[in-house]
Structures are given as C-alpha cells and as structure tokens.
mmCIF file of all heavy atoms in Angstrom:
data_model
loop_
_atom_site.group_PDB
_atom_site.id
_atom_site.type_symbol
_atom_site.label_atom_id
_atom_site.label_comp_id
_atom_site.label_asym_id
_atom_site.label_seq_id
_atom_site.Cartn_x
_atom_site.Cartn_y
_atom_site.Cartn_z
ATOM 1 N N ASN S 1 37.660 0.387 24.653
ATOM 2 C CA ASN S 1 37.401 0.341 23.228
ATOM 3 C C ASN S 1 38.817 0.254 22.477
ATOM 4 O O ASN S 1 39.592 1.353 22.472
ATOM 5 C CB ASN S 1 36.588 1.343 22.757
ATOM 6 C CG ASN S 1 35.299 1.453 23.154
ATOM 7 O OD1 ASN S 1 34.768 0.437 23.619
ATOM 8 N ND2 ASN S 1 34.636 2.555 23.345
ATOM 9 N N ILE S 2 39.278 -0.862 22.182
ATOM 10 C CA ILE S 2 40.641 -1.122 21.624
ATOM 11 C C ILE S 2 40.783 -0.851 20.186
ATOM 12 O O ILE S 2 40.175 -1.451 19.410
ATOM 13 C CB ILE S 2 41.040 -2.465 21.952
ATOM 14 C CG1 ILE S 2 41.135 -2.689 23.539
ATOM 15 C CG2 ILE S 2 42.574 -2.656 21.546
ATOM 16 C CD1 ILE S 2 41.525 -4.075 23.982
ATOM 17 N N SER S 3 41.626 0.215 19.829
ATOM 18 C CA SER S 3 41.973 0.346 18.409
ATOM 19 C C SER S 3 43.068 -0.593 18.093
ATOM 20 O O SER S 3 44.145 -0.567 18.618
ATOM 21 C CB SER S 3 42.393 1.782 18.225
ATOM 22 O OG SER S 3 41.520 2.766 18.374
ATOM 23 N N MET S 4 42.711 -1.597 17.171
ATOM 24 C CA MET S 4 43.711 -2.626 16.876
ATOM 25 C C MET S 4 43.837 -2.734 15.315
ATOM 26 O O MET S 4 42.983 -3.083 14.625
ATOM 27 C CB MET S 4 43.224 -3.985 17.356
ATOM 28 C CG MET S 4 44.290 -5.097 17.133
ATOM 29 S SD MET S 4 43.771 -6.748 17.819
ATOM 30 C CE MET S 4 42.672 -7.174 16.500
ATOM 31 N N PRO S 5 45.060 -2.460 14.865
ATOM 32 C CA PRO S 5 45.411 -2.673 13.430
ATOM 33 C C PRO S 5 45.134 -4.145 12.953
ATOM 34 O O PRO S 5 45.725 -4.982 13.621
ATOM 35 C CB PRO S 5 46.845 -2.222 13.284
ATOM 36 C CG PRO S 5 47.080 -1.293 14.474
ATOM 37 C CD PRO S 5 46.288 -1.892 15.569
ATOM 38 N N MET S 6 44.547 -4.326 11.893
ATOM 39 C CA MET S 6 44.301 -5.693 11.407
ATOM 40 C C MET S 6 44.727 -5.739 9.944
ATOM 41 O O MET S 6 44.572 -4.828 9.200
ATOM 42 C CB MET S 6 42.820 -6.072 11.547
ATOM 43 C CG MET S 6 42.201 -6.188 12.888
ATOM 44 S SD MET S 6 40.561 -6.564 12.965
ATOM 45 C CE MET S 6 40.708 -8.378 12.452
ATOM 46 N N ILE S 7 45.356 -6.938 9.579
ATOM 47 C CA ILE S 7 45.745 -7.113 8.179
ATOM 48 C C ILE S 7 44.582 -7.544 7.421
ATOM 49 O O ILE S 7 43.895 -8.499 7.763
ATOM 50 C CB ILE S 7 46.861 -8.156 8.185
ATOM 51 C CG1 ILE S 7 48.013 -7.809 9.093
ATOM 52 C CG2 ILE S 7 47.284 -8.355 6.741
ATOM 53 C CD1 ILE S 7 49.094 -8.961 9.126
ATOM 54 N N LEU S 8 44.399 -6.888 6.273
ATOM 55 C CA LEU S 8 43.274 -7.096 5.439
ATOM 56 C C LEU S 8 43.618 -8.135 4.328
ATOM 57 O O LEU S 8 44.847 -8.491 4.121
ATOM 58 C CB LEU S 8 42.851 -5.789 4.794
ATOM 59 C CG LEU S 8 42.426 -4.631 5.746
ATOM 60 C CD1 LEU S 8 42.140 -3.444 4.895
ATOM 61 C CD2 LEU S 8 41.365 -5.024 6.709
ATOM 62 N N PRO S 9 42.640 -8.701 3.691
ATOM 63 C CA PRO S 9 42.928 -9.747 2.705
ATOM 64 C C PRO S 9 43.946 -9.394 1.578
ATOM 65 O O PRO S 9 44.582 -10.157 1.118
ATOM 66 C CB PRO S 9 41.490 -10.039 2.099
ATOM 67 C CG PRO S 9 40.565 -9.596 3.133
ATOM 68 C CD PRO S 9 41.116 -8.531 3.898
ATOM 69 N N GLY S 10 43.836 -8.049 1.222
ATOM 70 C CA GLY S 10 44.770 -7.564 0.176
ATOM 71 C C GLY S 10 46.104 -7.270 0.721
ATOM 72 O O GLY S 10 47.073 -6.782 -0.013
ATOM 73 N N GLY S 11 46.383 -7.465 1.986
ATOM 74 C CA GLY S 11 47.729 -7.091 2.531
ATOM 75 C C GLY S 11 47.687 -5.643 3.248
ATOM 76 O O GLY S 11 48.785 -5.413 3.917
ATOM 77 N N GLU S 12 46.784 -4.837 3.013
ATOM 78 C CA GLU S 12 46.688 -3.580 3.706
ATOM 79 C C GLU S 12 46.320 -3.739 5.103
ATOM 80 O O GLU S 12 46.037 -4.800 5.613
ATOM 81 C CB GLU S 12 45.760 -2.652 2.992
ATOM 82 C CG GLU S 12 45.872 -2.522 1.523
ATOM 83 C CD GLU S 12 44.783 -3.508 0.728
ATOM 84 O OE1 GLU S 12 44.434 -4.548 1.451
ATOM 85 O OE2 GLU S 12 44.324 -3.278 -0.356
ATOM 86 N N MET S 13 46.442 -2.567 5.794
ATOM 87 C CA MET S 13 46.175 -2.638 7.205
ATOM 88 C C MET S 13 44.989 -1.571 7.566
ATOM 89 O O MET S 13 45.031 -0.494 6.931
ATOM 90 C CB MET S 13 47.305 -2.418 8.098
ATOM 91 C CG MET S 13 48.310 -3.521 8.027
ATOM 92 S SD MET S 13 49.672 -3.340 9.325
ATOM 93 C CE MET S 13 48.658 -3.990 10.771
ATOM 94 N N MET S 14 44.053 -1.931 8.419
ATOM 95 C CA MET S 14 43.147 -1.104 8.820
ATOM 96 C C MET S 14 42.961 -1.165 10.358
ATOM 97 O O MET S 14 42.949 -2.243 10.848
ATOM 98 C CB MET S 14 41.706 -1.342 8.192
ATOM 99 C CG MET S 14 40.543 -0.468 8.772
ATOM 100 S SD MET S 14 38.966 -0.930 8.096
ATOM 101 C CE MET S 14 39.160 -0.218 6.350
ATOM 102 N N THR S 15 42.844 -0.016 10.944
ATOM 103 C CA THR S 15 42.640 -0.024 12.469
ATOM 104 C C THR S 15 41.157 -0.185 12.771
ATOM 105 O O THR S 15 40.312 0.699 12.317
ATOM 106 C CB THR S 15 43.087 1.178 13.165
ATOM 107 O OG1 THR S 15 44.588 1.404 12.846
ATOM 108 C CG2 THR S 15 43.003 1.270 14.545
ATOM 109 N N ILE S 16 40.843 -1.192 13.543
ATOM 110 C CA ILE S 16 39.469 -1.517 13.867
ATOM 111 C C ILE S 16 39.160 -1.206 15.387
ATOM 112 O O ILE S 16 40.030 -1.454 16.154
ATOM 113 C CB ILE S 16 39.082 -2.966 13.629
ATOM 114 C CG1 ILE S 16 39.368 -3.322 12.144
ATOM 115 C CG2 ILE S 16 37.635 -3.307 14.053
ATOM 116 C CD1 ILE S 16 38.500 -2.718 11.157
ATOM 117 N N ASN S 17 38.040 -0.637 15.735
ATOM 118 C CA ASN S 17 37.626 -0.356 17.032
ATOM 119 C C ASN S 17 36.883 -1.449 17.701
ATOM 120 O O ASN S 17 35.876 -1.817 17.271
ATOM 121 C CB ASN S 17 36.730 0.941 17.009
ATOM 122 C CG ASN S 17 36.520 1.497 18.422
ATOM 123 O OD1 ASN S 17 36.835 0.798 19.506
ATOM 124 N ND2 ASN S 17 35.957 2.790 18.606
ATOM 125 N N LEU S 18 37.549 -2.119 18.544
ATOM 126 C CA LEU S 18 37.000 -3.275 19.219
ATOM 127 C C LEU S 18 36.143 -2.779 20.537
ATOM 128 O O LEU S 18 36.885 -2.427 21.439
ATOM 129 C CB LEU S 18 38.000 -4.364 19.682
ATOM 130 C CG LEU S 18 38.921 -4.702 18.469
ATOM 131 C CD1 LEU S 18 40.001 -5.715 19.041
ATOM 132 C CD2 LEU S 18 38.184 -5.339 17.362
ATOM 133 N N HIS S 19 35.016 -2.798 20.437
ATOM 134 C CA HIS S 19 34.133 -2.065 21.517
ATOM 135 C C HIS S 19 33.993 -2.974 22.737
ATOM 136 O O HIS S 19 33.768 -4.166 22.658
ATOM 137 C CB HIS S 19 32.784 -1.684 20.878
ATOM 138 C CG HIS S 19 32.735 -0.584 19.872
ATOM 139 N ND1 HIS S 19 32.704 0.710 20.300
ATOM 140 C CD2 HIS S 19 32.898 -0.568 18.492
ATOM 141 C CE1 HIS S 19 32.721 1.553 19.170
ATOM 142 N NE2 HIS S 19 32.995 0.627 18.120
ATOM 143 N N ASN S 20 33.953 -2.196 23.845
ATOM 144 C CA ASN S 20 33.485 -2.745 25.165
ATOM 145 C C ASN S 20 34.144 -3.994 25.484
ATOM 146 O O ASN S 20 33.589 -5.035 25.957
ATOM 147 C CB ASN S 20 31.931 -2.888 25.141
ATOM 148 C CG ASN S 20 31.218 -1.556 24.873
ATOM 149 O OD1 ASN S 20 30.653 -1.353 23.874
ATOM 150 N ND2 ASN S 20 31.391 -0.570 25.837
ATOM 151 N N PHE S 21 35.539 -4.091 25.428
ATOM 152 C CA PHE S 21 36.170 -5.338 25.857
ATOM 153 C C PHE S 21 36.365 -5.332 27.400
ATOM 154 O O PHE S 21 36.916 -6.432 27.800
ATOM 155 C CB PHE S 21 37.596 -5.328 25.148
ATOM 156 C CG PHE S 21 37.437 -6.193 23.858
ATOM 157 C CD1 PHE S 21 36.333 -6.058 22.989
ATOM 158 C CD2 PHE S 21 38.638 -6.820 23.472
ATOM 159 C CE1 PHE S 21 36.303 -6.796 21.852
ATOM 160 C CE2 PHE S 21 38.621 -7.495 22.215
ATOM 161 C CZ PHE S 21 37.521 -7.547 21.441
ATOM 162 N N GLU S 22 35.860 -4.446 28.120
ATOM 163 C CA GLU S 22 36.124 -4.430 29.483
ATOM 164 C C GLU S 22 35.276 -5.505 30.245
ATOM 165 O O GLU S 22 35.780 -6.015 31.329
ATOM 166 C CB GLU S 22 35.681 -3.222 30.097
ATOM 167 C CG GLU S 22 34.164 -2.833 30.116
ATOM 168 C CD GLU S 22 33.669 -2.207 28.787
ATOM 169 O OE1 GLU S 22 34.472 -2.041 27.989
ATOM 170 O OE2 GLU S 22 32.518 -1.953 28.705
ATOM 171 N N ASP S 23 34.201 -6.134 29.718
ATOM 172 C CA ASP S 23 33.443 -7.120 30.339
ATOM 173 C C ASP S 23 33.387 -8.342 29.468
ATOM 174 O O ASP S 23 32.630 -9.337 29.925
ATOM 175 C CB ASP S 23 32.131 -6.623 30.584
ATOM 176 C CG ASP S 23 31.988 -5.508 31.561
ATOM 177 O OD1 ASP S 23 32.739 -5.534 32.496
ATOM 178 O OD2 ASP S 23 31.162 -4.573 31.353
ATOM 179 N N LYS S 24 34.074 -8.582 28.504
ATOM 180 C CA LYS S 24 34.002 -9.762 27.594
ATOM 181 C C LYS S 24 34.964 -10.876 28.045
ATOM 182 O O LYS S 24 36.050 -10.649 28.549
ATOM 183 C CB LYS S 24 34.389 -9.416 26.018
ATOM 184 C CG LYS S 24 33.229 -8.469 25.493
ATOM 185 C CD LYS S 24 33.640 -8.351 23.918
ATOM 186 C CE LYS S 24 32.520 -7.751 23.291
ATOM 187 N NZ LYS S 24 31.899 -6.460 23.763
ATOM 188 N N SER S 25 34.475 -12.052 27.997
ATOM 189 C CA SER S 25 35.293 -13.193 28.289
ATOM 190 C C SER S 25 36.146 -13.479 27.122
ATOM 191 O O SER S 25 36.103 -12.847 26.055
ATOM 192 C CB SER S 25 34.359 -14.528 28.515
ATOM 193 O OG SER S 25 33.790 -14.800 27.313
ATOM 194 N N LEU S 26 37.038 -14.421 27.278
ATOM 195 C CA LEU S 26 37.885 -14.907 26.169
ATOM 196 C C LEU S 26 37.094 -15.384 24.919
ATOM 197 O O LEU S 26 37.472 -14.965 23.807
ATOM 198 C CB LEU S 26 38.859 -15.916 26.551
ATOM 199 C CG LEU S 26 40.232 -15.560 27.194
ATOM 200 C CD1 LEU S 26 40.993 -16.781 27.779
ATOM 201 C CD2 LEU S 26 41.114 -14.829 26.277
ATOM 202 N N ASN S 27 36.063 -16.279 25.165
ATOM 203 C CA ASN S 27 35.310 -16.651 23.974
ATOM 204 C C ASN S 27 34.531 -15.544 23.423
ATOM 205 O O ASN S 27 34.527 -15.496 22.164
ATOM 206 C CB ASN S 27 34.415 -17.664 24.508
ATOM 207 C CG ASN S 27 35.064 -19.004 24.842
ATOM 208 O OD1 ASN S 27 36.042 -19.336 24.325
ATOM 209 N ND2 ASN S 27 34.468 -19.797 25.660
ATOM 210 N N GLU S 28 34.105 -14.594 24.121
ATOM 211 C CA GLU S 28 33.390 -13.377 23.542
ATOM 212 C C GLU S 28 34.319 -12.552 22.741
ATOM 213 O O GLU S 28 33.887 -11.964 21.608
ATOM 214 C CB GLU S 28 32.612 -12.656 24.605
ATOM 215 C CG GLU S 28 31.603 -13.386 25.370
ATOM 216 C CD GLU S 28 30.965 -12.618 26.605
ATOM 217 O OE1 GLU S 28 31.725 -11.986 27.176
ATOM 218 O OE2 GLU S 28 29.815 -12.953 26.890
ATOM 219 N N MET S 29 35.544 -12.406 23.259
ATOM 220 C CA MET S 29 36.530 -11.610 22.400
ATOM 221 C C MET S 29 36.802 -12.348 21.114
ATOM 222 O O MET S 29 36.896 -11.618 20.018
ATOM 223 C CB MET S 29 37.712 -11.486 23.263
ATOM 224 C CG MET S 29 37.724 -10.392 24.389
ATOM 225 S SD MET S 29 39.377 -10.244 25.206
ATOM 226 C CE MET S 29 38.883 -8.955 26.262
ATOM 227 N N ALA S 30 36.965 -13.743 21.111
ATOM 228 C CA ALA S 30 37.255 -14.344 19.952
ATOM 229 C C ALA S 30 36.135 -14.332 19.030
ATOM 230 O O ALA S 30 36.332 -14.127 17.690
ATOM 231 C CB ALA S 30 37.583 -15.921 20.276
ATOM 232 N N GLU S 31 34.920 -14.402 19.497
ATOM 233 C CA GLU S 31 33.740 -14.295 18.543
ATOM 234 C C GLU S 31 33.633 -12.917 17.918
ATOM 235 O O GLU S 31 33.243 -12.766 16.858
ATOM 236 C CB GLU S 31 32.510 -14.718 19.382
ATOM 237 C CG GLU S 31 32.341 -16.058 19.841
ATOM 238 C CD GLU S 31 31.087 -16.311 20.703
ATOM 239 O OE1 GLU S 31 30.655 -15.342 21.220
ATOM 240 O OE2 GLU S 31 30.897 -17.461 21.013
ATOM 241 N N TYR S 32 33.931 -11.811 18.698
ATOM 242 C CA TYR S 32 33.925 -10.596 18.305
ATOM 243 C C TYR S 32 34.956 -10.326 17.120
ATOM 244 O O TYR S 32 34.427 -9.740 16.159
ATOM 245 C CB TYR S 32 34.229 -9.462 19.499
ATOM 246 C CG TYR S 32 33.930 -8.056 19.035
ATOM 247 C CD1 TYR S 32 32.821 -7.450 19.688
ATOM 248 C CD2 TYR S 32 34.846 -7.363 18.264
ATOM 249 C CE1 TYR S 32 32.632 -5.998 19.557
ATOM 250 C CE2 TYR S 32 34.619 -6.039 18.024
ATOM 251 C CZ TYR S 32 33.448 -5.444 18.633
ATOM 252 O OH TYR S 32 33.270 -3.984 18.384
ATOM 253 N N ILE S 33 36.064 -10.681 17.263
ATOM 254 C CA ILE S 33 37.200 -10.534 16.286
ATOM 255 C C ILE S 33 36.819 -11.306 15.025
ATOM 256 O O ILE S 33 36.906 -10.882 13.895
ATOM 257 C CB ILE S 33 38.551 -10.983 16.841
ATOM 258 C CG1 ILE S 33 38.960 -9.947 18.040
ATOM 259 C CG2 ILE S 33 39.587 -10.934 15.739
ATOM 260 C CD1 ILE S 33 40.105 -10.375 18.832
ATOM 261 N N GLU S 34 36.187 -12.517 15.203
ATOM 262 C CA GLU S 34 35.814 -13.341 14.014
ATOM 263 C C GLU S 34 34.686 -12.638 13.339
ATOM 264 O O GLU S 34 34.631 -12.575 12.079
ATOM 265 C CB GLU S 34 35.419 -14.708 14.534
ATOM 266 C CG GLU S 34 35.018 -15.612 13.395
ATOM 267 C CD GLU S 34 36.183 -15.897 12.450
ATOM 268 O OE1 GLU S 34 37.347 -15.721 12.862
ATOM 269 O OE2 GLU S 34 35.848 -16.342 11.122
ATOM 270 N N ASN S 35 33.837 -11.913 14.009
ATOM 271 C CA ASN S 35 32.661 -11.216 13.401
ATOM 272 C C ASN S 35 33.132 -10.048 12.671
ATOM 273 O O ASN S 35 32.716 -9.706 11.564
ATOM 274 C CB ASN S 35 31.654 -10.820 14.546
ATOM 275 C CG ASN S 35 30.528 -10.141 13.851
ATOM 276 O OD1 ASN S 35 29.895 -10.616 12.972
ATOM 277 N ND2 ASN S 35 30.126 -8.987 14.421
ATOM 278 N N VAL S 36 34.236 -9.446 13.107
ATOM 279 C CA VAL S 36 34.875 -8.312 12.431
ATOM 280 C C VAL S 36 35.485 -8.810 11.020
ATOM 281 O O VAL S 36 35.325 -8.265 10.009
ATOM 282 C CB VAL S 36 35.875 -7.647 13.323
ATOM 283 C CG1 VAL S 36 36.822 -6.667 12.460
ATOM 284 C CG2 VAL S 36 35.344 -6.796 14.455
ATOM 285 N N ARG S 37 36.048 -9.926 11.169
ATOM 286 C CA ARG S 37 36.704 -10.567 9.912
ATOM 287 C C ARG S 37 35.604 -10.856 8.791
ATOM 288 O O ARG S 37 35.866 -10.772 7.602
ATOM 289 C CB ARG S 37 37.542 -11.704 10.286
ATOM 290 C CG ARG S 37 38.727 -11.489 11.136
ATOM 291 C CD ARG S 37 39.537 -12.643 11.208
ATOM 292 N NE ARG S 37 40.725 -12.504 12.317
ATOM 293 C CZ ARG S 37 41.721 -11.744 12.234
ATOM 294 N NH1 ARG S 37 41.973 -11.043 11.092
ATOM 295 N NH2 ARG S 37 42.606 -11.660 13.265
ATOM 296 N N GLU S 38 34.550 -11.360 9.287
ATOM 297 C CA GLU S 38 33.328 -11.523 8.447
ATOM 298 C C GLU S 38 32.735 -10.314 7.769
ATOM 299 O O GLU S 38 32.515 -10.198 6.646
ATOM 300 C CB GLU S 38 32.275 -12.375 9.120
ATOM 301 C CG GLU S 38 32.656 -13.750 9.428
ATOM 302 C CD GLU S 38 33.097 -14.597 8.154
ATOM 303 O OE1 GLU S 38 32.231 -14.474 7.279
ATOM 304 O OE2 GLU S 38 34.085 -15.283 8.204
ATOM 305 N N LYS S 39 32.703 -9.232 8.596
ATOM 306 C CA LYS S 39 32.214 -8.010 8.122
ATOM 307 C C LYS S 39 33.032 -7.407 7.141
ATOM 308 O O LYS S 39 32.684 -6.721 6.083
ATOM 309 C CB LYS S 39 32.170 -6.867 9.268
ATOM 310 C CG LYS S 39 30.994 -7.179 10.235
ATOM 311 C CD LYS S 39 31.138 -6.071 11.280
ATOM 312 C CE LYS S 39 29.784 -6.019 12.139
ATOM 313 N NZ LYS S 39 29.725 -4.967 13.227
ATOM 314 N N ILE S 40 34.508 -7.536 7.266
ATOM 315 C CA ILE S 40 35.490 -7.079 6.273
ATOM 316 C C ILE S 40 35.199 -7.611 4.749
ATOM 317 O O ILE S 40 35.220 -6.775 3.907
ATOM 318 C CB ILE S 40 36.866 -7.435 6.721
ATOM 319 C CG1 ILE S 40 37.315 -6.576 7.952
ATOM 320 C CG2 ILE S 40 37.857 -7.111 5.574
ATOM 321 C CD1 ILE S 40 38.737 -6.989 8.489
ATOM 322 N N LYS S 41 34.766 -8.846 4.763
ATOM 323 C CA LYS S 41 34.444 -9.441 3.446
ATOM 324 C C LYS S 41 33.271 -8.732 2.777
ATOM 325 O O LYS S 41 33.282 -8.671 1.493
ATOM 326 C CB LYS S 41 34.059 -11.027 3.788
ATOM 327 C CG LYS S 41 35.200 -11.833 4.231
ATOM 328 C CD LYS S 41 34.753 -13.194 4.533
ATOM 329 C CE LYS S 41 35.903 -14.062 5.153
ATOM 330 N NZ LYS S 41 35.380 -15.400 5.372
ATOM 331 N N ASN S 42 32.358 -8.055 3.517
ATOM 332 C CA ASN S 42 31.171 -7.487 2.887
ATOM 333 C C ASN S 42 31.433 -5.897 2.787
ATOM 334 O O ASN S 42 30.503 -5.228 2.495
ATOM 335 C CB ASN S 42 30.023 -7.745 3.746
ATOM 336 C CG ASN S 42 29.707 -9.200 3.791
ATOM 337 O OD1 ASN S 42 29.643 -9.892 2.772
ATOM 338 N ND2 ASN S 42 29.289 -9.686 5.019
#
C-alpha cells in the first residue's frame, strides 16, 4: 500500500494511500490513480 503525495487542484499536497499495488498491472495502476483524481473532485 503506497503512500504517495499528490498535487491537488489548488496547489496543495495530500498523501494518498494506493492500496494493493502488489498484483496490479500497469493499466490497472493507471486506472486506480485516475480514479483517485476523480474522487478528489468530489
């Protein structure tokens, strides 16, 4: 579970927990991170 700081729309930073990356493919990782970016908007 990777704690990764991400830049927010307002320029701030927040550390996001990227869960269960041990078995994810590159495409699954990309989809996961994109999903996190969408969650941030809400």
Side-chain angles (χ1 to χ4, degrees):
N1 297 334
I2 298 176
S3 294
M4 186 180 77
M6 296 181 69
I7 302 174
L8 304 178
E12 310 96 336
M13 294 195 73
M14 174 186 281
T15 299
I16 304 296
N17 187 349
L18 309 178
H19 289 269
N20 302 114
F21 266 34
E22 67 278 359
D23 294 322
K24 286 183 170 58
S25 67
L26 272 175
N27 286 334
E28 289 171 337
M29 286 184 173
E31 289 173 354
Y32 190 108
I33 293 171
E34 182 62 25
N35 184 44
V36 168
R37 297 190 190 283
E38 289 300 316
K39 283 184 175 182
I40 289 174
K41 297 176 183 178
N42 299 318

